[in-house]
Amino acid sequence: MTPRIGSLLAALATLTFLILFLVLPVATVFRHAFSDADGSLTLGHFAVFLGQPLMLESFYNSLYVAVASALAASCIAVPLAYLTIRYEFRGATLIQTLGVLPLVMPPFVGAAALRLIWGRTGSVNLLLDDAFGFTIPVMEGLNGVIFVEALHYFPFILLNLTVALRNIDGAMEEAALNLGARGWRLFRRVVFPLALPGFVAGVALVFVKVFDDLGTPLVLGVTNMLAPQAYLRMTQVGIDDPAGYVISVMMIAFSILALWLSSRVLKGRDYTTLQKGGTSLARRHLSSWESVLAYGWIILVLMLVLSPHVGVLLLSFASVWSYAPLPDGYTLAHYASVFENSTGMITNTLFYCSLAAGIDVVLGTTIAYVILRTRLPARQWLDWIASAALAIPGLVLAIGYLRTFRGITVPGTEIAVTSTWVLIVIAYAVRRLPYALRSCVAALQQVAISLEEAAHSLGAGRLSTIRRIVIPLMTGGMLAGFVTSFITAAVELSATMMLVTRESQAPMSYGIYLYMQSTSGRGPGAALGVLAVVAVALGTYASHWLVARQSADRQTRRTNPEIGG
């Protein structure tokens, strides 16, 4: 087999997987949204959707919650990013680290905890009512969803904006200062516009994540939004209900629209700087009153950021916690219950996520090699199709699976494919493929092609070169991609809720949701949530450690070539 034929077969196998488990299910959703029962094209389903007050209300609510969450997240992230990059004060690194902590906890887990802390009868409002005679209705209805989503997703803006602010050339700020720009005017006219690409990227991610979220509204009892309505229609009315497909199409359309608008906002503008040849923004010292304001804001933000984690931890140990600022007693019974009754969920999570992450690494490595090391025509399409999974909500993908594979049985049995755990694993793999792909592409880009050429000149074949040269040098990036896919799949709820057909198949994310549906199950649910957070935190740490170690190893080989020899 020639190298070109081998590469072609690998590309075709990968393309077949993407078409079968991404393109075809999404196309099926679109087909049923635009077709009648007899298969003829129609816009009637959309007309029915627009004629139902509940559906219109759900659409406006989803749009309102997504926009409001993005704005609220911006109000948290922008000052935090600017303060930690622009000013010199103690604890900046710790603050930035704690600032991304919400991403470790799934939003639907934090929702239950935030209700105990900030709800009508939560800790904060009980203390405010006793001390001052008023309460803050922050967790009521849609406001509660916005509050939870903003607290969970603001790190997307913080991370992107921090990088953008660091890349601004300090000479541009100095020029503005020489022309008389100061304070708010300097930030509004010079600093923030130059950091706009990072801000827009973060806001677009927040909008898409919130617009497609299913677990948080359901945990908070809010069903008049698009994602909950699609789930309820499919589970209560049935898989043949056109409304579920119409909602799915609208969710995809607005996800793509948000990403497209984010690119249009920046089109035609020049944000380049000379930072690599100059200096970044000069750090300034805070005056006394500025320090008070800055630390006051940071403390307030960190209290909000840490409140879901504190709430879940307390709830997991609480024997009784009702109408009181703190639990009335503490126990380990919830953890004992989890390890006694829910070990299957923990095992399922490890199995599903490990298998899905393994698939992602194989696919990501294959796609990376095809687009970077071959000259196959249209090879870039593999990257584009795989990356498109970012715009497909998990709920929509699951609906597409249920419809596409309905009636298909496992070969040699009468077991329906849609009732097995296989589709759960595939859904996890497809949804997380873009994360592993980016890691694998970055890893392969840093492998010098001269090393492969040297191996070929010594008589090594293509497969031998890949196995003995390329893969070992990509190991760090591949492991980082594996860990990233694993930890993000571990908290997937939208696709899970549609594809789990019996409790024995349930992973931890679904178990947490089931527990949280009853008052008696909140304690075990919180305990399971703590275990999920610990697993995600350890995975996140491992991912960063692997990337840092790979970077250090590369630097060592550059400075001491004889070590790698």
Side-chain angles (χ1 to χ4, degrees):
M1 182 185 297
T2 66
R4 182 178 176 85
I5 293 178
S7 299
L8 181 60
L9 290 176
L12 288 176
T14 303
L15 181 61
T16 301
F17 179 89
L18 293 175
I19 291 175
L20 188 60
F21 297 112
L22 177 59
V23 177
L24 184 59
V26 174
T28 300
V29 169
F30 273 82
R31 180 169 64 86
H32 285 281
F34 288 96
S35 63
D36 276 330
D38 59 1
S40 59
L41 291 178
T42 180
L43 293 175
H45 302 321
F46 287 85
V48 172
F49 176 90
L50 295 174
Q52 295 181 353
L54 176 60
M55 293 301 171
L56 287 178
E57 179 189 4
S58 299
F59 168 72
Y60 290 129
N61 285 345
S62 291
L63 196 59
Y64 164 69
V65 167
V67 172
S69 297
L71 291 175
S74 300
C75 292
I76 298 173
V78 173
L80 196 60
Y82 186 69
L83 285 172
T84 54
I85 296 299
R86 186 68 176 79
Y87 293 99
E88 190 75 48
F89 59 91
R90 295 179 180 177
T93 304
L94 177 62
I95 291 166
Q96 290 176 351
T97 302
L98 293 176
V100 300
L101 197 60
L103 292 180
V104 177
M105 176 176 289
F108 64 90
V109 177
L114 284 172
R115 178 178 282 173
L116 290 170
I117 302 294
W118 295 93
R120 179 179 298 178
T121 58
S123 303
V124 173
N125 278 325
L126 287 175
L127 294 174
L128 287 176
D129 191 34
D130 289 340
F132 305 105
F134 71 91
T135 59
I136 305 174
V138 70
M139 288 296 293
E140 300 297 321
L142 296 178
N143 290 335
V145 180
I146 294 169
F147 184 64
V148 174
E149 303 282 22
L151 280 184
H152 180 74
Y153 288 119
F154 85 86
F156 283 127
I157 302 176
L158 177 65
L159 292 171
N160 284 279
L161 187 58
T162 298
V163 172
L165 288 171
R166 282 202 180 105
N167 290 334
I168 295 177
D169 188 359
M172 305 189 76
E173 181 191 27
E174 293 175 6
L177 288 170
N178 292 334
L179 293 173
R182 295 287 188 279
W184 169 248
R185 186 181 183 191
L186 175 65
F187 175 79
R188 181 174 58 88
R189 300 290 297 274
V190 179
V191 176
F192 186 72
L194 289 174
L196 197 60
F199 174 75
V200 171
V203 168
L205 282 174
V206 173
F207 180 92
V208 170
K209 290 287 187 180
V210 175
F211 194 80
D212 299 339
D213 190 21
L214 171 64
T216 302
L218 286 182
V219 169
L220 294 177
V222 177
T223 58
N224 53 344
M225 294 176 64
L226 284 183
Q229 280 300 311
Y231 171 74
L232 294 175
R233 298 290 297 214
M234 287 296 176
T235 55
Q236 295 180 2
V237 179
I239 198 69
D240 293 318
D241 180 33
Y245 298 102
V246 172
I247 296 173
S248 299
V249 168
M250 296 190 68
M251 291 172 68
I252 295 175
F254 272 84
S255 296
I256 295 174
L257 179 63
L259 298 175
W260 177 78
L261 286 176
S262 68
S263 64
R264 291 292 299 177
V265 167
L266 305 176
K267 189 175 182 180
R269 301 184 184 183
D270 186 9
Y271 297 93
T272 57
T273 70
L274 301 177
Q275 198 269 338
K276 289 187 181 292
T279 58
S280 58
L281 288 178
R283 287 181 175 269
R284 301 178 182 274
H285 290 284
L286 294 166
S287 63
S288 298
W289 68 270
E290 287 175 336
S291 296
V292 172
L293 291 177
Y295 279 109
W297 172 255
I298 289 170
I299 290 172
L300 175 61
V301 169
L302 292 182
M303 286 175 59
L304 293 173
V305 167
L306 295 175
S307 59
H309 301 76
V310 173
V312 168
L313 188 62
L314 288 175
L315 181 58
S316 70
F317 289 106
S319 56
V320 178
W321 189 2
S322 181
Y323 298 99
L326 292 173
D328 297 332
Y330 298 91
T331 180
L332 293 174
H334 302 318
Y335 286 92
S337 175
V338 165
F339 284 114
E340 181 181 351
N341 301 318
S342 304
T343 52
M345 295 180 182
I346 299 173
T347 303
N348 288 342
T349 299
L350 296 175
F351 175 68
Y352 296 163
C353 297
S354 297
L355 194 54
I359 294 172
D360 284 341
V361 169
V362 172
L363 293 176
T365 303
T366 303
I367 295 172
Y369 192 86
V370 168
I371 63 178
L372 295 177
R373 292 293 193 266
T374 72
R375 297 182 179 275
L376 294 177
R379 60 190 179 278
Q380 201 65 41
W381 277 92
L382 285 175
D383 189 7
W384 294 339
I385 295 173
S387 299
L390 285 174
I392 309 300
L395 178 65
V396 175
L397 190 65
I399 291 172
Y401 284 173
L402 293 176
R403 186 72 195 205
T404 302
F405 300 104
R406 185 173 68 168
I408 299 177
T409 59
V410 177
T413 71
E414 296 183 357
I415 301 174
V417 171
T418 53
S419 66
T420 67
W421 53 265
V422 175
L423 289 184
I424 301 175
V425 172
I426 293 176
Y428 287 178
V430 170
R431 289 266 291 155
R432 268 63 196 181
L433 178 58
Y435 304 135
L437 175 59
R438 297 276 69 83
S439 296
C440 293
V441 168
L444 185 56
Q445 284 174 333
Q446 294 173 327
V447 176
I449 196 170
S450 58
L451 296 174
E452 298 174 58
E453 293 171 347
H456 293 322
S457 67
L458 294 173
R462 177 65 64 92
L463 290 178
S464 179
T465 301
I466 294 174
R467 180 173 57 86
R468 302 187 65 179
I469 304 294
V470 178
I471 297 300
L473 292 175
M474 289 180 62
T475 300
M478 292 167 64
L479 287 174
F482 179 93
V483 173
T484 303
S485 294
F486 181 94
I487 61 178
T488 52
V491 295
E492 169 68 43
L493 182 63
S494 299
T496 305
M497 291 181 65
M498 289 296 300
L499 295 175
V500 170
T501 57
R502 52 185 179 274
E503 192 170 326
S504 61
Q505 295 177 345
M508 292 171 66
S509 58
Y510 189 71
I512 295 169
Y513 173 75
L514 291 179
Y515 275 126
M516 291 298 183
Q517 297 309 296
S518 65
T519 303
S520 60
R522 292 190 311 177
L528 198 58
V530 169
L531 296 177
V533 169
V534 169
V536 172
L538 290 175
T540 304
Y541 173 79
S543 178
H544 289 304
W545 182 80
L546 288 169
V547 172
R549 181 170 181 177
Q550 185 190 35
S551 178
D553 289 344
R554 284 197 304 269
Q555 186 64 29
T556 301
R557 285 195 293 269
R558 289 194 188 102
T559 55
N560 301 285
E562 65 276 7
I563 294 178

